[in-house]
Amino acid sequence: MESHTSPICDVYLAVKSNLPPFQQLLERHQGDVLGFLIASVGPQDAEDCFQETFIAALRAYPRLQDDSNLRGWLLTIAHRKAIDHHRARGRRATPVGDAPEVADRRMAPGQKETTGIWRFVAALPPKQRSAVALRFACDLPHREIAAALGTSEEAARRNVHEGIKRLRLELA
């Protein structure tokens, strides 16, 4: 039958085995560990791995039996945390930029099939479609189009311009 010790017993065992206080261990070896992690995972992720290293070391410290190479023990933990970081990075999604705007060609329930030029307007990307419709179907000025779309007046003007440019290409 295994006996589980309490945290108080763990601290007693650490003191009993001549281990230095954990804070001293941290202060003595933090430069070496951080330098290793910067070289291993880069400066952006080194702080996170550094914290994970010392949290893992703090958890295991009371049960540590051999105090002959504490620096090597910490660097071993840091090395394992760096490997974990690289493995996790391989599983993370990588950003690839903004997705291109694509017109939604599905019709809403009760919506009639558009004909004529409005069929081509419906095929425009969403921002351009809305800007062209507000400009020509509702006869709104660019200032009001911008307010309706939540953009600047220049952006509204540009969306109308780009939409008309695409329509001219489609209808040419």
Side-chain angles (χ1 to χ4, degrees):
M1 181 166 145
E2 277 185 37
S3 68
H4 296 284
T5 60
S6 70
I8 295 171
C9 292
D10 287 343
V11 172
Y12 173 74
L13 290 173
V15 171
K16 184 179 169 189
S17 67
N18 297 324
L19 291 173
F22 190 77
Q23 183 64 36
Q24 284 180 359
L25 178 73
L26 171 66
E27 290 169 357
R28 187 175 305 137
H29 299 293
Q30 67 184 355
D32 293 336
V33 172
L34 186 57
F36 169 76
L37 289 169
I38 289 172
S40 297
V41 299
Q44 300 294 327
D45 299 315
E47 280 293 321
D48 290 339
C49 288
F50 179 82
Q51 289 177 3
E52 291 174 18
T53 297
F54 277 97
I55 288 171
L58 180 60
R59 286 184 182 137
Y61 196 60
R63 295 181 307 278
L64 189 62
Q65 299 297 317
D66 184 17
D67 64 346
S68 63
N69 188 5
L70 294 176
R71 180 176 174 265
W73 176 71
L74 285 172
L75 289 172
T76 299
I77 295 171
H79 173 69
R80 290 180 181 147
K81 293 300 174 183
I83 289 171
D84 291 346
H85 171 78
H86 288 297
R87 286 179 181 157
R89 186 174 40 177
R91 292 187 298 267
R92 281 187 218 121
T94 55
V96 293
D98 294 334
E101 288 185 12
V102 177
D104 185 4
R105 296 171 196 252
R106 294 174 289 162
M107 293 192 323
Q111 182 181 5
K112 295 179 184 175
E113 178 68 36
T114 55
T115 58
I117 195 165
W118 293 107
R119 179 171 49 102
F120 295 104
V121 172
L124 290 173
K127 288 181 184 178
Q128 292 175 12
R129 179 178 59 236
S130 297
V132 168
L134 290 171
R135 177 72 181 113
F136 295 103
C138 301
D139 199 30
L140 293 181
H142 292 105
R143 176 178 30 83
E144 292 179 30
I145 294 170
L149 297 178
T151 63
S152 67
E153 189 173 340
E154 293 79 23
R157 187 179 310 276
R158 190 72 189 167
N159 281 319
V160 171
H161 172 76
E162 291 297 320
I164 291 171
K165 189 166 131 181
R166 279 189 176 197
L167 289 172
R168 286 183 179 145
L169 289 173
E170 287 291 323
L171 297 171

